[in-house]
Amino acid sequence: MTVTPLGIPRRMLEFTVDGAPVRAPEGSTILDACRAAGKDIPTLCQGDTLRPKNACRVCVVEVEGSRTLVPACSRTAEPGMVVRTGTERARHSRKIVLELLASSADLSTTPGAAEWIKEYEAKPDRFGPDAARVNEEPRIDNELYVRDYAKCILCYKCVDACGEQWQNTFAISVAGRGFDARIAVEHDAPLPDSACVYCGNCVEVCPTGALAPKTEYDMRAAGTWDESRQTETSTVCAYCGVGCTLTLHVQDNEIVKVTSPHDNPVTHGNLCIKGRFGYQHVQNRG
Amino acid sequence: MDLHFGDGKPTDEERAAVDALLGPPESSWEGADRSDADLRWARGGRAARDRRDLLLPGLHALNDRVGWISEGGLGYLCRRLTVPPAEAYGVATFYAMFSVRPRPATVLHVCTDLACTAAGAGDLCAGLEERAGSGVSVERSPCLGLCERAPAALAVRAGDPVRTAVAAPATVDEAVRAADAPDSAPEEPPAVLAVPQAGQDGLLLLGRVGVVDPASLDDYRAHGGYTALRRAFELGPAGVIREVTDSGLAGRGGAAFPTGRKWQATASRPDHPHYLVCNADESEPGTFKDRVLMEGDPYALVEAMTIAGYATGAHKGYLYLRGEYPRALRRMEHAIAQARARGLLGDDVLGQGYAFDIEIRRGAGAYICGEETALFNSIEGYRGEPRSKPPFPVEKGLFGRPTAENNVETLVNVLPILTMGAPAYAAVGTERSTGPKLFCVSGSVERPGVYELPFGATLGELLRLAGVRPGLRAVLLGGAAGSFVRPDELDVPLTFEGTREAGATLGSGVVMAFDASVPLPRLLLRIAGFFREESCGQCVPCRVGTVRQEEALRRIAERTGAAAADDIALLREVGRAMRDASICGLGQTAWNAVESVIDRLGAYT
């Protein structure tokens, strides 16, 4: 069981979403309020425990009085705001953003992408066969996780998780500019030469599978990765006294991945190298 | 924070360059020789992190000394500033003027932007690549802000000190000479040659350019300098804001926000300190007015920044100056040092008990840093990516504090407002666009340069003044982020409201004339390439949209009618999303010029 702290009480504010009045605690984002009211908006780069970077722009909505569209994931709701989530204008931008992303990056392991592409009738192929893509070979330079930047949508979540918001290791950042911008460690070195401590917290937050545990990467390559056959078991990490909650993802009686619940007050989804990757001894049956 | 600095060692040169900026290291933890005292040495937490804003000057120091930024050099700088190397690498690779790979000590930046391309930059580049020796790296550059003397080249030779030379208008011979011997290259022509109206009566902003000695504070004072600051002290901060508000001054950087309101909003914030930032990162292709002002009348900007600081309650002003303007940098450095020596900056300005000083920060080649919040990030030592608004700068700006940011031209307008009084100033121009406006005219005209006209003059009047050549095909109004207008639209009044009604924008005051000899599709490709190169890459509509825009334009470069219809429809859809969903003005305006060529000029029909 996980415990979610309630926090201090907050005042409620009222505004309208698609013509209907909505009440939300002060400080909520438009997205929070919409989800609480049972109305969902697609998001790619938004994360539950990181400050929204609003880089992907797939969650844009119309706010009356605003010249441009507004990212729902990061804009705080204000009293009296008039928000429209499903207008032609907002849907157009979402469709184009999906087309731009799917035409330049590999979204095959991005949850939700295929459904949204269908829903918004996005046609990523229409930019032609010569459309520039992020052509990067997967970087396999250590035994714990793989960086496949051809799948990266540059959402900055790994950077934020490695930096001041989660891990405080600051091993990765965005390098370069524009379409050539890439997630990189210092001097774009292999991971073992960098400041990386292999906590895997960047893998935890990656929304596209650009960062994946080596086990998952290898099983996908072999065609044996099958989430429908996996079970999830919560337990407590036995390595030290902190007591982090582990979620063991098990397929065919083998641990294939370890994560931690984001709403857990001890970890908030964070683990260290041992908790996340050190599970081989459990299944050492030789 | 437990930082990992790697094994790279700085060379003596790199160490000296960083130490010249930061002083010698105090402990082996910072890169000094090991001593017993290191066992009990600590300087962490806020004291260390607060120096992050010295990262950009530190990168300049390394790049200036050896021409590029090595692993060892960057590691040493990071150790001194307690900055994670990955982040510093991300910052270093953001700017076009830095290199993280070895390159020759001399870099020759050859402008390939609109005015220079129209004046033959392509041949110049080809000639230079053939002629330049192994010690020179020839790099194609976005607009160098020398459009009135196109084509232009800027040579930068690393060393102590770094040396620069400008060749404009450049021939292959002159550019090679500038790169081979920057010290003995001929002096640039004086700034006044960029002002065809020089010497005319009634110029409010350009009146002193060519008249005063830009190096002499006494000469500036003899020509009316510092009367506006004295008046400001008589009025008090609230009085200054009232005058500026009554004058109707609107920001000249492109957004036309009322300056008085911005100052009032900053001044009234309860949290301190407040900051003043002068945006002198003039990088819009075709714009060079701020350069001419800073080179020709540098004390005017020092005085205007002091007044703005006084009015908004700031004691520190940052002048963010583009890295491609070596002479403007020298002139402003000199002017600030002189003003400081004479008590016009410092703890007690003019003996009035008001403390104010100005620090110059050099940009390093990134158009996006002209966006106000990207500029804050750049000064703070982060990648020059725009922040999302709200919160607005007047609330949380530089270092998270209330900040008033104005561009050079806006600030210089404050001087005549205070010396003439708000009513007299507001009488210039039109009712809704008050005062004088600077325009940068280049392209197919006889007398390119900076022109000052009261708001309300028409585009045709301005072009006649500049001697437009026969056979005009199109005029780019407002720069790469602006739009093209037709030769039969020259009666559009040059005001904020007049251009808006005509479906155009004044933007940064660019007026670039193109005659029939310039192929429009190729021009558009250059504009699209510019936005692709200058996009920071943070948001998807801009990062990928600018690429798709350029690709589509490339496909239809030689096509019209039905053959281009599909791609034009595609451009419209992508353009609309870029305008609607991009984080900042760069992505939001990247489609303007293209749209105007399709809809107003009918280039592909």
Side-chain angles (χ1 to χ4, degrees):
Chain A
M1 191 191 87
T2 59
V3 180
T4 308
L6 290 173
I8 51 167
R10 287 185 290 178
R11 275 195 305 180
M12 300 296 276
L13 53 85
E14 286 183 27
F15 64 107
T16 63
V17 175
D18 295 333
V22 167
R23 278 163 58 83
E26 200 169 36
S28 309
T29 62
I30 295 175
L31 183 71
D32 295 336
C34 285
R35 287 189 174 162
K39 184 182 285 290
D40 204 11
I41 295 170
T43 57
L44 282 171
C45 75
Q46 189 261 350
D48 49 1
T49 61
L50 296 168
R51 269 199 301 279
K53 185 75 184 171
N54 63 75
C56 81
R57 317 301 279 186
V58 81
C59 68
V60 286
V61 295
E62 248 184 282
V63 171
E64 210 166 270
S66 173
R67 183 172 48 85
T68 54
L69 297 175
V70 163
C73 69
S74 66
R75 178 65 62 86
T76 32
E78 291 161 30
M81 213 177 216
V82 179
V83 178
R84 294 191 193 86
T85 63
T87 59
E88 189 274 334
R89 193 174 161 211
R91 291 181 65 89
H92 173 81
S93 279
R94 285 182 209 157
K95 178 186 95 161
I96 296 291
V97 164
L98 288 165
E99 284 179 346
L100 293 174
L101 269 181
S103 65
S104 58
D106 170 9
L107 299 186
S108 61
T109 50
T110 305
E115 296 90 75
W116 290 322
I117 284 174
K118 211 163 152 194
E119 180 191 340
Y120 288 92
E121 294 171 6
K123 298 183 192 67
D125 294 340
R126 66 188 179 127
F127 299 111
D130 299 328
R133 293 185 65 83
V134 183
N135 286 323
E136 302 258 328
E137 286 299 308
R139 298 188 187 202
I140 308 168
D141 51 17
N142 66 88
E143 282 304 308
L144 302 181
Y145 73 94
V146 175
R147 299 178 286 164
D148 186 357
Y149 289 137
K151 291 180 173 175
C152 177
I153 60 167
L154 231 61
C155 71
Y156 291 65
K157 280 168 81 176
C158 56
V159 177
D160 290 344
C162 187
E164 56 161 16
Q165 293 190 42
W166 270 19
Q167 176 65 21
N168 271 290
T169 291
F170 299 92
I172 43 182
S173 101
V174 177
R177 192 165 81 189
F179 196 74
D180 299 327
R182 296 286 187 276
I183 303 290
V185 300
E186 63 268 31
H187 313 291
D188 209 10
L191 270 191
D193 297 340
S194 77
C196 177
V197 298
Y198 302 97
C199 62
N201 289 333
C202 54
V203 181
E204 177 77 43
V205 297
C206 180
T208 63
L211 301 173
K214 183 81 168 20
T215 44
E216 177 178 340
Y217 181 83
D218 288 344
M219 287 174 73
R220 280 188 191 276
T224 55
W225 180 261
D226 184 357
E227 276 171 29
S228 67
R229 279 159 55 208
Q230 291 172 10
T231 58
E232 292 182 15
T233 307
S234 286
T235 182
V236 174
C237 180
Y239 276 109
C240 77
V242 171
C244 299
T245 304
L246 302 181
T247 304
L248 306 179
H249 300 248
V250 176
Q251 180 178 330
D252 301 336
N253 210 27
E254 291 274 334
I255 301 171
V256 293
K257 184 164 87 172
V258 177
T259 60
S260 184
H262 288 201
D263 59 355
N264 182 288
V266 178
T267 66
H268 296 288
N270 283 249
L271 290 174
C272 71
I273 178 172
K274 293 184 283 185
R276 194 178 301 278
F277 295 113
Y279 50 79
Q280 271 310 311
H281 67 286
V282 177
Q283 43 207 29
N284 200 343
R285 302 184 181 96
Chain B
M1 193 152 68
D2 175 25
L3 298 181
H4 172 272
F5 294 107
D7 302 329
K9 292 273 177 292
T11 63
D12 290 347
E13 279 279 274
E14 289 166 339
R15 186 185 288 269
V18 172
D19 289 352
L21 176 76
L22 303 175
E26 287 175 22
S27 153
S28 71
W29 295 96
E30 285 194 319
D33 291 335
R34 191 175 292 275
S35 75
D36 287 347
D38 290 329
L39 294 172
R40 293 172 296 281
W41 191 83
R43 199 204 60 219
R46 182 178 298 170
R49 281 197 304 273
D50 275 358
R51 307 204 307 169
R52 171 82 184 233
D53 70 300
L54 291 172
L55 181 60
L56 183 57
L59 294 173
H60 268 301
L62 289 168
N63 201 71
D64 280 352
R65 188 71 68 104
V66 286
W68 66 288
I69 297 163
S70 75
E71 237 177 281
L74 188 69
Y76 181 64
L77 178 63
C78 288
R79 204 180 277 274
R80 297 295 315 274
L81 294 176
T82 324
V83 170
E87 289 194 357
Y89 180 77
V91 173
T93 53
F94 187 82
Y95 296 100
M97 295 182 87
F98 296 149
S99 172
V100 292
R101 294 202 169 69
R103 64 176 174 186
T106 305
V107 178
L108 186 61
H109 301 273
V110 186
C111 180
T112 54
D113 233 309
L114 304 172
C116 287
T117 293
D123 293 344
L124 181 64
C125 277
L128 283 171
E129 273 153 10
E130 209 170 284
R131 276 274 304 279
S134 58
V136 177
S137 150
V138 178
E139 292 186 7
R140 287 158 194 260
S141 162
C143 186
L144 289 173
L146 295 160
C147 317
E148 86 279 11
R149 310 204 297 271
L154 165 68
V156 181
R157 172 171 291 182
D160 183 22
V162 64
R163 272 144 301 180
T164 58
V166 164
T171 60
V172 172
D173 281 343
E174 278 163 328
V176 167
R177 205 178 318 141
D180 285 347
D183 286 336
S184 54
E187 175 70 14
E188 276 188 75
V192 65
L193 289 189
V195 182
Q197 296 164 304
Q200 281 180 17
D201 284 341
L203 295 179
L204 295 177
L205 308 175
L206 298 172
R208 266 188 299 257
V209 177
V211 176
V212 291
D213 173 0
S216 166
L217 179 53
D218 288 326
D219 204 26
Y220 177 67
R221 298 180 79 151
H223 286 90
Y226 281 101
T227 50
L229 181 62
R230 283 178 200 286
R231 175 98 204 289
F233 283 131
E234 282 166 24
L235 292 169
V240 174
I241 293 179
R242 199 161 46 241
E243 284 287 298
V244 172
T245 308
D246 291 348
S247 75
L249 175 65
R252 304 294 199 239
F257 191 83
T259 306
R261 252 172 65 197
K262 186 185 277 187
W263 287 13
Q264 176 63 47
T266 310
S268 63
R269 295 293 303 180
D271 45 337
H272 284 269
H274 293 184
Y275 288 106
L276 173 79
V277 172
C278 173
N279 184 347
D281 190 57
E282 167 179 71
S283 312
E284 183 75 36
T287 319
F288 46 97
K289 59 193 167 70
D290 293 349
R291 172 180 62 81
V292 170
L293 281 172
M294 289 188 287
E295 289 181 349
D297 196 8
Y299 290 99
L301 182 57
V302 176
E303 184 184 357
M305 283 183 71
T306 312
I307 295 169
Y310 177 65
T312 54
H315 295 289
K316 174 126 193 206
Y318 284 90
L319 174 63
Y320 190 88
L321 185 62
R322 47 175 325 212
E324 291 90 340
Y325 282 176
R327 185 161 70 172
L329 174 71
R330 284 198 300 276
R331 295 260 160 96
M332 290 309 305
E333 276 175 341
H334 179 77
I336 288 168
Q338 288 298 304
R340 201 178 286 141
R342 299 273 290 273
L344 293 163
L345 287 176
D347 292 338
D348 187 14
V349 175
L350 269 177
Q352 298 286 324
Y354 167 62
F356 184 73
D357 213 331
I358 298 174
E359 189 173 328
I360 297 182
R361 283 304 169 90
R362 266 160 84 198
Y367 171 70
I368 183 61
C369 289
E371 200 279 341
E372 52 183 355
T373 58
L375 194 158
F376 299 149
N377 277 334
S378 179
I379 291 180
E380 291 177 22
Y382 294 91
R383 290 165 56 80
E385 291 168 350
R387 304 173 182 171
S388 39
K389 294 185 277 188
F392 291 95
V394 294
E395 217 176 298
K396 283 191 189 309
L398 186 63
F399 303 114
R401 302 294 183 170
T403 303
E405 182 177 336
N406 296 111
N407 86 334
V408 175
E409 186 188 347
T410 312
L411 285 170
V412 170
N413 269 281
V414 173
L415 303 179
I417 289 172
L418 290 187
T419 50
M420 295 164 74
Y425 177 91
V428 179
T430 66
E431 201 181 318
R432 279 190 289 166
S433 299
T434 58
K437 174 80 190 97
L438 297 181
F439 295 97
C440 308
V441 188
S442 58
S444 316
V445 291
E446 300 294 342
R447 293 174 293 280
V450 186
Y451 287 83
E452 175 181 329
L453 289 176
F455 271 114
T458 66
L459 182 54
E461 284 164 21
L462 173 61
L463 284 173
R464 269 193 296 282
L465 209 56
V468 65
R469 296 197 192 119
L472 185 69
R473 167 86 172 87
V475 182
L476 180 61
L477 190 59
S483 49
F484 285 92
V485 296
R486 288 190 306 271
D488 62 354
E489 294 177 302
L490 299 187
D491 55 352
V492 51
L494 296 173
T495 56
F496 296 124
E497 65 277 10
T499 46
R500 203 178 308 127
E501 278 160 28
T505 166
L506 279 188
S508 54
V510 171
V511 173
M512 210 178 263
F514 296 102
D515 59 24
S517 71
V518 182
L520 279 177
R522 200 165 339 136
L523 209 62
L524 264 197
L525 268 179
R526 173 60 213 157
I527 292 178
F530 174 80
F531 280 109
R532 187 209 4 100
E533 281 168 14
E534 298 298 333
S535 168
C536 79
Q538 195 182 198
C539 71
V540 176
C542 179
R543 178 176 78 233
V544 192
T546 52
V547 174
R548 298 291 177 252
Q549 173 170 278
E550 193 193 14
E551 286 169 350
L553 286 171
R554 208 172 280 288
R555 282 195 294 271
I556 59 173
E558 309 299 333
R559 286 192 236 154
T560 52
D566 278 0
D567 276 316
I568 286 178
L570 197 66
L571 279 168
R572 277 188 208 286
E573 287 197 36
V574 173
R576 188 175 162 217
M578 284 201 284
R579 185 176 286 163
D580 271 350
S582 296
I583 291 179
C584 79
L586 188 148
Q588 289 161 11
T589 58
W591 149 246
N592 284 0
V594 184
E595 184 184 37
S596 69
V597 163
I598 295 170
D599 288 346
R600 297 170 86 101
L601 302 183
Y604 300 99
T605 46

